[in-house]
Amino acid sequence: MFHQFSATAESLSKASSLVLRIGTDAHLYDDPDDVSIGPLLESRFDSEKVDALKRLLALLAQGSDVSQFFPQVVKNVASQSLELKKLVYLYLLHYAEKRQNEALLSINCFQKDLSDTNPLVRAWALRTMAGIRLHAVAPLVLRAITKCARDPSAYVRKCAAYALPKLYDLHHDEDNSSFEELVDILLNDHSPGVVGAAAAAFKSVCPSSLFLIAKSFRRLCEILPDVEEWGQIVLIEILLRYIIARHGIVKESIMFSLSTMSTTPVADGFPTFSGTSGNCQTLVGTTCDVNMITLMCKSYIDGQIECFAQTGCSNSNDDKLDLSLTSSTNDDVVMLLRCTSPLLWSHNSAVVLAAAGVHWIMAPRENIERIIKPLLFILRSCQASKYVILCNLLVFAKAVPPFFSQYYEDFFVCSYDTYQIRALKLEILSIIATESSIPIILQEFQDYVKDPDRRFVADTVAAIGLCAQRLPMVASACLEGLLAITFYESSLSSSSQIDGEAGVLVQAIMSIKAIIKQNPDSYDRVIVQLACNLDRIKIPAARALVIWIIGEYSVIGQIIPKVVPSILNYLAWSFTSEEPDTKLQILNTAAKVLLCAQGADSLAFRKILSYFIELAKYDINYDVRDRAHFIFKFMPHSLMTSSEKDNNSDISQNGRMHHEPGGKILNGKMHSSISSTKSSRIYLPGSLSQIVLHAASGYEPLPKPCSLLNTDLTAGVVNETNDSDISSGSSIEESGSVYDSDHSSISSDDGNESVNDSNDTESTALAVRNDVQDVREKTLVDVSNVNVCVDDSNENTKGNLSAFISTDLAELMPKLALESWLDEEPGVSSIQTTQQASSGRISINNLNCTVTPKLHSLLDPTTNNGLRVEYAFSYEISTISSMLVLVEIFFENCSSEPIKNIALKDGESSLSVESSDQVLGESESLLRTANVPPVLSTEEIASLDPGQRVKKLIEIRFPHHLLPLKLAVTCNGKKFSTKLWPDIGYFLKPLSMNTSAFIDHERQLPGMFEYSKSIDYKMWCTFKDHIEKIAPVKDDSSIHSDKIILLSQILASKVLSNCNVSLVCADIPVSFNIDDASGLCLRFSGELLSNSKPCLISILVEGKFSEPLVLTVKINCEETVFGLNLLNRVAAFLQ
Amino acid sequence: MLEKQMAGHRVDRSICAWFWDYVLSQGGDPSMILPVIASPTHYLFQLFRDGIIFLACTQVEMPPLMGIEFLCRVADVLTDYLGGLNEDVIKDNFVIVYEILDEMMDNGIPLTTEPNILREMITPPNIVSKMLSIVTGKNSNVSANLPDATASCIPWRKTNPKHSSNEVYVNLVEEMDAVFNRDGILVKCEIYGEVQVNSHLPGLPDLTLSFSNPSILYDIRFHPCVRFRPWESDQILSFVPPDGEFRLMSYRVKKLKNTPIYVKPQLTSDAGNCRVNVLVGIRNDPGKAIDSITVQFQLPLCVASANLTPNHGTVNILADKTCCWSIGQIPKDKSPSLSGNLVLEVGLDKLHVFPVFRVGFRIMGVAFSGLQIHKLDVKNTPSEPYKGFRALTRSGEYEVRA
């Protein structure tokens, strides 16, 4: 009873307020468990249940665990009372993940509610069902979402869109296509509210599937102003990403125009703008910080890591971006800009910033100015958002200061601003100050200096220094002010120690130092003034700074050298009472002064320095001791008295040598790192990462310009296989260019230039063949599982990845994998093998194999008078007729006399051969009707000098792929008949396809079209000579690690040198047993020259390296005879 | 502390403990810390409003303004619902707070933030319902029906409100920001204004509001209901209003030259003492009475004690050395002044830091920017509604540096 009387006034007032709080839920909150909750939940009355649930909620809010009531609460899900339902849902959502089994009981009720007539009930049911996060019900939820996505009520559809990310979060390992399909449906909804929600779903479910946007881009733009504000923020971002990926950077935009400007970049600061406010033309005309913009542009697109790697070493001109460009007149760009510009007037500052971001990146520079007023307006919204907006404005202002220079008033600090906001405003002010505005800004700064917040004052002083550096015209005025501050502060701090004053003083001297540094000669008086006041400056850091300045500029002007001796005397007097920092600087300064001194002074200086060193050697602080020893060691010559010097003139030579580094170290220009890492961290405007200045997880830079291909747009969701085709098709192209990289090895091996030539033309032919699309870089290794056909989905995702997102990283990894694989590092490769399942395999379509077309002899120099004629089959395809095979003929004069009138003609017997090839079928007879002669294009070689070698390209129609063509070589009037044997491998031309297409074709050519032959293959004999060719120095142990790669290289180069086909892929099994080659499979594809029918070659390897391997060559071809012959040929050259 | 888990991955409560440690390490004043903080595990957005801290966490990239703006909106809605914000009010209505939060956000994405719609979904607490709940023991503040507006193209308005009243009020509320520097020169003077509309109109009314001098508007922001086209072409506000009170538009007017009152502080210090003399008076008579005049300033830390006496109004010196001088209306016969003496800390001869005087005032019936509403047309209503206009100017960031 009595304790009430001792109650304080506070609790009395609480009691009185309790009276007023009757009827509220306060009692429930204050004493949630004053009644037992269990029975209440079992009550028949809804109101009691509601009461119980409210109590539970209160307990929950206070952080206690009330999950023991879960079973009882779940029972109430079926209740008809909406309030009860809502409360139950709130409870359920909090605990469902913890109590999975009991939560399952509620599912039935949700299912029932989903078909309720009241849309609110349906929506709630869906929201809760998706929110309870049970893996077991994920399929049910997906079905529910699918159903609700077509619900008549927009609210339910909206909730369905919101439910998608929840489900995705729970279950996203699953195939993504169903999600994408749902997002697509919802994005196409006619209700703006749903579209906004769908945009949010898009962002979290499939942010890279920008092709979904393609078809409805214009509609989305039009609907944008009607979408609710939160959806607008997300949708704007998506549309921007889409535009970049689809069309690239706008040519007139700030991102492009400044980053690629050819004018000399202005390093620090910009020439001031004339001051006629509001004149757009002047603004645009002024130069801006080009480096900054280049950096910004890069960071937006490349992301931070790469950006650092590139700019870290140099920011020279070579780092220009190769951006795909579009013009500002592009319809889509215009549309987006038009639809986002009213959003600059939005109520919601996040929307304004998002819309401004789009304009900043996409709009032509003349129009960017329109975003500035709205951005400044949202500064007025609330303190918290003020900070975020200023962070973004700072980046903008750094990039293009003139845009902001007339709005300096908005960045004036007011007393309501927090310290962080003030600091940002100061930084912006010092960046945007111009010649016309600087007087007002400095006036303002003078006020700030008297602010009670001394931390802010220190920042102001720093800002004054920055302004003075940027605008030299005010430098002397600033210096005057700074000096005044310095003297004032030093007088203050001498009288009493007040927090923060030291900081101001140090900052003031630092600013002075920075200004002096720009033009030391004209500020010698300032230095003297500082030096004279040294006695009054008590703060060690400030003293150290002043002493440094004296040392640095000790020989400048007329006055300083006169003052220096007395200063040094003063310091010598005070040395023992100085702080360590100051002592270090005194030592440095004394040494520097001595180095620069001439004549009579130097003796005095030497004495002083030795005195300092003697004192410092026994200092209590080890840094000071070290410094003394250091200086002593570096300057022995300077420290010697002149008499000693005379005695040891030879040593003085040595001393010179020491003198130099000593001088260099002490006089070395301090490279103050002006560009701190902080300022170079730029992220997308409006992003969280920009505020915290590191890439938050989930941060994505803008997509690569034009990374969204036209083909993808048509592909759409349904036939996603197309996407995978595109990417893997491109990888075939890469395999084609192998030849390119192997030039050197070929020419060095053979010493044969003409072969080199043929390869050149060959590779260009390949490039032409594959110019279907331009893809800059491709994956070299495709890691997939063993069943290629089954694993389509896996490949699809990869295809999407490389096609839509920035491909670089994705490529980097496989490339590295290949390198490590080829670099023969057993450790790395074994790691990779362990990562793969034992059944896994790596599919490589870029084997680093050498291709050496075989030379055949046509005419031996011994049989005639010294003319050697050789031929090789070319990889080129005849442009005249598909029946013709291109053959390169090499004429070489081996005799000592020139050979004249060399020609190549048909043998007379060609007619008789023709009669024999009647059996060859109609294709041949067709050709005869076309009346193409067997040999085309043979001009006579007038003369061939001794040793000269001439290459001729002839096109030959072979009568049969096995039978030789009779030719006659005439030279010097004589005629030699010879035979040109056809090579069946060159009746093919390469046909590029990817693995899955290969398997498809293979399936279409079964049974009688499939021929195979097994051959024993002695690994080691061929192996050795191959290795000798490639790497004669490599030791044996290294070879062991990647025998399988070598083997596939050997096989591939053999096939490619003997057949005109293209390598589809090499499937390399990844097993723990290094010795085991079983399962290696190389696939080649080509088509018949005569009738363009596909012809597939696969080589399967079985067995172990230690034993003879068994190669199974398999050919799938419709032309039976041809196929069988080819099989024999392949088997022959493989052996 | 109230906790609402929004996304599937729950955030442990310990983040709040971390936050408090952080606040304490930063000086303990929640209003002074950064709005976006990177904690070891989460990114925190914080909003400090009326002694309540609103804290939101995220682990992934998102627009930070979105987070902050949402917290602002939550604070606005709660203030609106509960008629103020403080610990007791939130405790009293914690169930409603939970329900509102649940409606406002779903899985980390704002769901329904339009106050009008929320009101229909969750009934705000009021006296009647409180009494009812006492009498009948029943109380449901969850509406049984989905508001139709969620489906309509104008999500801010319920489709068919029924009102006995047929009226619309337009209220111009302006805040004046002004800064005088230490020489007494006006550095910056601008007005931030809002057009607040309170409409109780039946049906689907279509309103057009025009100003007689729209050219003075420096920049503008609109409620989503405003159509952009008519503004772009004719500078006319055309809109279908939400039901009830809302902010139709906010604007800025810059480069003003006149301020209604002047404050002239004088501080002269020597020998450890500082004489203070502050004069307040009317500079440009706005034609209406200026009331609720206050002058507030922070005594510098180096002030040991203060003795200040006004010749009008009252002076209060709070524990954190804030000095509030409330004047009210300026009397006709004399001009208010505050004078006194500050004793500086020992060892300090002169005052080297000077306080900033924040001035508060209110002028009823005047929009100081001079913005004038030309006319308001209401179409699409059965009968001509009652239209009311008001204006108010008050001080925003109005400060005078000494």
Side-chain angles (χ1 to χ4, degrees), chain A residues 612-836:
Chain A
F612 281 140
I613 288 176
E614 281 309 306
L615 281 180
K617 268 182 183 168
Y618 304 103
D619 199 273
I620 216 162
N621 184 296
Y622 52 82
D623 276 342
V624 177
R625 291 199 300 269
D626 285 353
R627 183 69 59 91
H629 286 296
F630 170 78
I631 290 175
F632 185 71
K633 281 273 146 49
F634 261 107
M635 307 173 67
H637 143 80
S638 311
L639 287 171
M640 274 184 279
T641 57
S642 51
S643 56
E644 281 172 281
K645 206 193 268 179
D646 292 338
N647 292 340
N648 322 324
S649 57
D650 53 336
I651 300 174
S652 87
Q653 282 305 100
N654 268 337
R656 268 294 146 208
M657 285 171 69
H658 282 291
H659 180 109
E660 285 308 315
K664 258 183 197 155
I665 288 172
L666 292 168
N667 285 340
K669 295 275 170 281
M670 297 275 187
H671 291 292
S672 55
S673 49
I674 298 162
S675 60
S676 63
T677 48
K678 233 180 166 186
S679 65
S680 58
R681 292 191 191 175
I682 299 170
Y683 298 89
L684 285 180
S687 66
L688 176 60
S689 307
Q690 179 63 57
I691 308 302
V692 294
L693 289 175
H694 61 253
S697 65
Y699 174 79
E700 281 274 341
L702 287 178
K704 286 269 180 292
C706 295
S707 52
L708 194 63
L709 300 168
N710 275 322
T711 36
D712 303 330
L713 301 177
T714 51
V717 220
V718 193
N719 41 0
E720 253 185 302
T721 40
N722 282 8
D723 301 337
S724 73
D725 280 354
I726 287 159
S727 58
S728 31
S730 59
S731 45
I732 288 169
E733 181 190 342
E734 184 67 23
S735 77
S737 62
V738 166
Y739 305 111
D740 230 357
S741 58
D742 283 326
H743 274 177
S744 53
S745 68
I746 292 167
S747 52
S748 63
D749 282 348
D750 298 8
N752 193 337
E753 275 178 26
S754 45
V755 180
N756 201 349
D757 283 353
S758 78
N759 268 302
D760 251 334
T761 47
E762 211 279 317
S763 60
T764 49
L766 281 165
V768 170
R769 171 162 35 107
N770 280 317
D771 65 348
V772 204
Q773 60 194 55
D774 69 319
V775 187
R776 285 155 300 176
E777 279 183 316
K778 281 93 211 173
T779 43
L780 297 180
V781 179
D782 205 11
V783 182
S784 63
N785 284 338
V786 66
N787 298 323
V788 186
C789 46
V790 177
D791 250 313
D792 266 352
S793 64
N794 197 357
E795 277 195 359
N796 280 349
T797 50
K798 209 167 300 180
N800 285 339
L801 201 74
S802 56
F804 297 130
I805 326 171
S806 57
T807 43
D808 278 11
L809 200 68
E811 284 160 19
L812 209 61
M813 307 254 301
K815 215 183 263 179
L816 285 174
L818 176 67
E819 267 158 22
S820 65
W821 191 246
L822 291 178
D823 272 355
E824 302 159 352
E825 285 172 33
V828 178
S829 59
S830 68
I831 286 167
Q832 201 170 15
T833 43
T834 46
Q835 277 170 353
Q836 305 285 327

Side-chain angles (χ1 to χ4, degrees), chain A residues 159-203:
Chain A
C159 287
Y162 280 136
L164 268 179
K166 292 187 210 171
L167 182 63
Y168 180 75
D169 192 37
L170 181 70
H171 211 70
H172 69 283
D173 45 318
E174 204 189 307
D175 181 22
N176 219 356
S177 62
S178 55
F179 284 106
E180 281 180 7
E181 212 171 307
L182 280 170
V183 170
D184 192 35
I185 293 172
L186 291 162
L187 269 179
N188 284 308
D189 202 282
H190 56 84
S191 162
V194 184
V195 174
F202 177 89
K203 204 187 160 196

Side-chain angles (χ1 to χ4, degrees), chain A residues 266-271 287-289 401 470:
Chain A
V266 187
D268 293 317
F270 56 101
T287 43
C288 310
D289 195 337
R470 279 205 34 244

Side-chain angles (χ1 to χ4, degrees), chain A residues 14 37 82 133 187 261 268 578 592 729 835 951 979 1021 1068:
Chain A
K14 251 189 186 169
I37 295 171
L82 276 181
R133 296 179 59 82
L187 269 179
M261 225 161 25
D268 293 317
E578 299 285 358
K592 274 195 244 179
Q835 277 170 353
K951 190 187 99 176
K979 283 177 182 169
C1021 50
I1068 296 173

Side-chain angles (χ1 to χ4, degrees), chain A residues 550-655:
Chain A
I550 295 165
E552 185 71 18
Y553 304 110
S554 61
V555 285
I556 283 180
Q558 304 292 314
I559 321 166
I560 303 174
K562 294 200 177 90
V563 191
V564 167
S566 48
I567 296 172
L568 284 181
N569 282 331
Y570 161 75
L571 290 174
W573 171 74
S574 69
F575 187 80
T576 43
S577 56
E578 299 285 358
E579 293 289 316
D581 276 357
T582 323
K583 281 179 181 167
L584 291 175
Q585 282 310 324
I586 292 175
L587 282 170
N588 283 359
T589 298
K592 274 195 244 179
V593 167
L594 181 56
L595 283 174
C596 304
Q598 298 136 356
D601 286 338
S602 61
L603 190 64
F605 291 150
R606 197 174 299 143
K607 273 183 181 164
I608 293 173
L609 181 59
S610 349
Y611 172 68
F612 281 140
I613 288 176
E614 281 309 306
L615 281 180
K617 268 182 183 168
Y618 304 103
D619 199 273
I620 216 162
N621 184 296
Y622 52 82
D623 276 342
V624 177
R625 291 199 300 269
D626 285 353
R627 183 69 59 91
H629 286 296
F630 170 78
I631 290 175
F632 185 71
K633 281 273 146 49
F634 261 107
M635 307 173 67
H637 143 80
S638 311
L639 287 171
M640 274 184 279
T641 57
S642 51
S643 56
E644 281 172 281
K645 206 193 268 179
D646 292 338
N647 292 340
N648 322 324
S649 57
D650 53 336
I651 300 174
S652 87
Q653 282 305 100
N654 268 337

Side-chain angles (χ1 to χ4, degrees), chain A residues 144 149 173 202 226 259 297 303 339 373 431 468 525 529 564 702 715 762 770 850 991 1007 1030 1065:
Chain A
D173 45 318
F202 177 89
D226 296 324
S259 62
C297 184
C339 292
K373 266 163 61 173
I431 289 168
R525 278 163 197 285
Q529 255 183 305
V564 167
L702 287 178
E762 211 279 317
N770 280 317
T850 50
L991 175 67
I1030 290 178
C1065 66

